[in-house]
Amino acid sequence: MRGPRGGWHRTPGGAAGAGGGRAAEAYAVPFPEPPPATPAADVPRELIGESWRRARERGLDREGGRPRRQVGVAELEWRRRTAGVGVLREVLRDGLIPAEDTVPEHVVVVTDADGVVLWRDGQSAMLKAVDRIGLAEGASWSEDSAGTNGIGTALATGRPVGVYGDEHFLRTCRRWSCAAAPLTDPRDGRLLGVVNVTGPARTMPTMSLAFVTAVGRVAEGELRDRHWTAMGRLRAVAAPVLARIGGRALAVDEHGWAAAATGMAPPERVALPKSPQAGACVLPGLGRCALEPLPGGGWLVRVEPEGAAPPPTGVVLDLTRPAAASLSVLGGAGRWTQQVSPRHAELLYLLAVHRAGLSATALAGALFGDPERTVTVRAEVSRLRRKFAGLLAHRPYRFCDAIDVQLRLPAHPADLLPHSHAPAILAARH
């Protein structure tokens, strides 16, 4: 796993800047060699230019030839088991057969959220050809490692991307074109990985971007269906157990998603310990609880009546990894961390910077450029307040005054939530 970048930026009580205290001149990196235009001259390519700028600011070498990072066999197997993108490969097994007729010379790649290649498929001659540029299982094709490319730029921006020929940052990739689309968890918007098609620049069809985008959408639909099916099974198993309980209790899956509850309104998700075990524990937002395994998987969470957890004392909002923004909470329940969705990352960033608070109107303007969209803002903040109980206050919306907020930012402003089009985030990047 790559190490964190950037520095700590503490916002104890007043307004905070978004630059981590670094002088603006530190980000003024020359950009003497802009990428060439796409073959379709009327299509704007600001996205490619921004990606090149990020690569130069990171000090990447265009002549380096290959991605500069490769994971070992053991780590690759662990990533395959835990990344959550196995469904992509299952969908591709159906999608590759018709694709062979329309994209005869191509390699299809599935990566995790760090851009590490988990699987690849294609004709043996094509696999040998892409070996020469390092498009191998275990190689990292994030922008940090390989500069502008379909995989890394799709991860950085959170949207489908085509990168054609000389638009690649590494010179060794100029004879290739690629199209990539991100896969997000439909439950919380978390970025899981990317599906990518790579082929020779001279023969790569324009439909490749539509193909990978469609594969990603089908995979997200499959993930959604599997989640609801699993929740239904867990609900059926838990129903007779919950019916016999007099106090507050709920049934959750192994990731903390709530399926059913008694004596309380169920939260959307419970922050379980990293390695949950049967017995007593303290859970954020619930207090002292007892965990019991349920038949077939999942946990019964019994909430003890006397046990409200001590309030949180601090939070760390980590935005150094564009694909995996996270919030760590410190307090009476210990330290626990959850990844947050792109929208919630934007909201939390704005509230961390503006410690005095923002009204719903101000947040709507900052997020959407439209102060009238207060209904959407109130709904999102309500979800955040339910998910992270005890952290946020309202009138105006803000982090509670007693909480110490630490904001961890990328090393370069251009890397701040690169998927975001919120006006306030765009302004902070520049």
Side-chain angles (χ1 to χ4, degrees):
M1 303 293 288
R2 62 190 170 107
R5 296 177 291 120
W8 292 101
H9 182 67
R10 187 179 299 274
T11 60
R22 199 175 272 116
E25 295 87 280
Y27 300 113
V29 178
F31 186 33
E33 188 179 351
T38 178
D42 59 336
V43 179
R45 301 301 283 171
E46 290 88 354
L47 179 147
I48 299 298
E50 287 296 321
S51 176
W52 272 53
R53 189 169 290 108
R54 290 193 294 268
R56 290 190 178 281
E57 288 175 350
R58 292 174 177 127
L60 293 183
D61 178 13
R62 286 205 73 198
E63 312 298 334
R66 285 171 170 261
R68 59 185 185 183
R69 185 166 170 269
Q70 177 94 23
V71 304
V73 174
E75 182 178 342
L76 177 61
E77 289 304 317
W78 175 80
R79 286 174 178 268
R80 285 172 170 170
R81 291 194 307 270
T82 60
V85 291
V87 65
L88 266 176
R89 199 160 192 232
E90 297 175 27
V91 170
L92 285 167
R93 284 173 183 157
D94 297 330
L96 276 176
I97 295 174
E100 288 288 349
D101 299 330
T102 53
V103 195
E105 294 181 339
H106 74 285
V107 173
V108 178
V109 171
V110 175
T111 82
D112 64 10
D114 291 319
V116 174
V117 177
L118 303 180
W119 297 284
R120 62 178 195 167
D121 287 290
Q123 300 169 349
S124 59
M126 290 300 298
L127 293 176
K128 290 179 181 177
V130 297
D131 278 341
R132 291 194 285 273
I133 61 170
L135 189 59
E137 291 178 348
S140 172
W141 279 78
S142 68
E143 282 193 342
D144 277 353
S145 181
T148 305
N149 70 92
I151 294 168
T153 306
L155 286 172
T157 61
R159 63 186 189 183
V161 172
V163 179
Y164 310 104
D166 283 342
E167 289 183 333
H168 287 90
F169 187 77
L170 295 180
R171 290 193 187 277
T172 52
C173 298
R174 67 186 185 277
R175 298 181 184 276
W176 299 89
S177 290
C178 54
L183 175 70
T184 58
D185 190 325
R187 298 170 296 185
D188 57 11
R190 181 169 54 95
L191 192 57
L192 299 176
V194 157
V195 58
N196 172 83
V197 173
T198 293
R202 69 182 187 281
T203 60
M204 190 76 167
T206 56
M207 57 75 61
S208 300
L209 188 58
F211 170 67
V212 294
T213 302
V215 168
R217 289 176 179 169
V218 171
E220 288 173 1
E222 179 67 19
L223 284 172
R224 187 180 296 108
D225 290 345
R226 291 184 183 188
H227 174 67
W228 285 112
T229 300
M231 288 291 101
R233 284 198 298 265
L234 180 57
R235 200 172 293 117
V237 169
V241 179
L242 292 172
R244 297 193 296 267
I245 295 175
R248 295 189 298 158
L250 62 157
V252 302
D253 70 3
E254 64 272 19
H255 303 294
W257 294 100
T262 184
M264 62 183 295
E268 185 178 35
R269 191 176 186 182
V270 172
L272 293 174
K274 187 174 182 179
S275 300
Q277 297 179 347
C281 64
V282 177
L283 298 180
L286 295 177
R288 295 181 179 84
C289 300
L291 294 183
E292 301 175 21
L294 288 168
W299 296 93
L300 175 68
V301 181
R302 296 178 184 264
V303 184
E304 297 182 8
E306 72 278 5
T313 59
V315 298
V316 178
L317 179 60
D318 188 346
L319 304 180
T320 57
R321 295 176 61 197
S326 66
L327 187 72
S328 297
V329 181
L330 300 81
R335 180 184 177 121
W336 52 277
T337 301
Q338 278 197 9
Q339 287 192 7
V340 294
S341 69
R343 176 64 73 209
H344 285 175
E346 293 171 337
L347 274 167
L348 290 167
Y349 167 78
L350 291 172
L351 296 179
V353 169
H354 299 278
R355 287 304 313 279
L358 294 169
S359 66
T361 300
L363 277 174
L367 288 173
F368 307 112
D370 181 3
E372 300 298 320
R373 294 186 62 177
T374 56
V375 173
T376 303
V377 165
R378 291 190 178 102
E380 290 293 347
V381 176
S382 293
R383 293 189 188 99
L384 267 176
R385 295 185 71 193
R386 288 196 301 269
K387 185 174 183 179
F388 300 108
L391 292 185
L392 301 178
H394 64 297
R395 296 180 184 174
Y397 293 124
R398 65 192 188 279
F399 279 99
C400 293
D401 297 335
I403 292 177
D404 179 55
V405 179
Q406 298 177 31
L407 179 58
R408 198 172 187 202
L409 295 167
H412 303 287
D415 292 334
L416 175 65
L417 299 175
H419 61 271
S420 175
H421 299 285
I425 305 299
L426 295 175
R429 286 191 205 133
H430 295 93

